[in-house]
Amino acid sequence: MAKTPPNSGKSWTDTDLDKLQKLAKGNTPTGLIAYKLGRSEASVYGKASTEGISLKPVNQSPYNRRKK
């Protein structure tokens, strides 16, 4: 069985939300955000969705348009 994160089941604080926003703006991968906040990836995705925070990296080109 997987180990539960330290903040599992706890409510989100204003500090947690600020960290989430800063990490998301910095293009931090969701797994690393979850680790730094002590939460699961699913909870990070869910909270970002309810708060209107985009976790999509902004420094990647759309539709995988790489020159060959």
Side-chain angles (χ1 to χ4, degrees), residues 26-43:
N27 291 332
T28 308
T30 309
L32 186 57
I33 293 173
Y35 176 77
K36 287 187 175 192
L37 294 176
R39 301 193 179 264
S40 67
E41 282 189 53
S43 68

Side-chain angles (χ1 to χ4, degrees), residues 16-37:
D16 290 339
L17 292 175
D18 289 341
K19 284 183 185 178
L20 175 61
Q21 251 182 341
K22 287 178 185 174
L23 291 169
K25 277 188 178 181
N27 291 332
T28 308
T30 309
L32 186 57
I33 293 173
Y35 176 77
K36 287 187 175 192
L37 294 176

Side-chain angles (χ1 to χ4, degrees), residues 7-66:
N7 291 331
S8 178
K10 294 182 182 176
S11 60
W12 287 77
T13 63
D14 290 337
T15 307
D16 290 339
L17 292 175
D18 289 341
K19 284 183 185 178
L20 175 61
Q21 251 182 341
K22 287 178 185 174
L23 291 169
K25 277 188 178 181
N27 291 332
T28 308
T30 309
L32 186 57
I33 293 173
Y35 176 77
K36 287 187 175 192
L37 294 176
R39 301 193 179 264
S40 67
E41 282 189 53
S43 68
V44 170
Y45 278 118
K47 193 61 174 180
S49 176
T50 58
E51 295 294 321
I53 300 169
S54 175
L55 296 174
K56 184 177 180 182
V58 293
N59 61 352
Q60 293 181 354
S61 63
Y63 308 111
N64 220 2
R65 294 181 185 170
R66 293 185 183 170

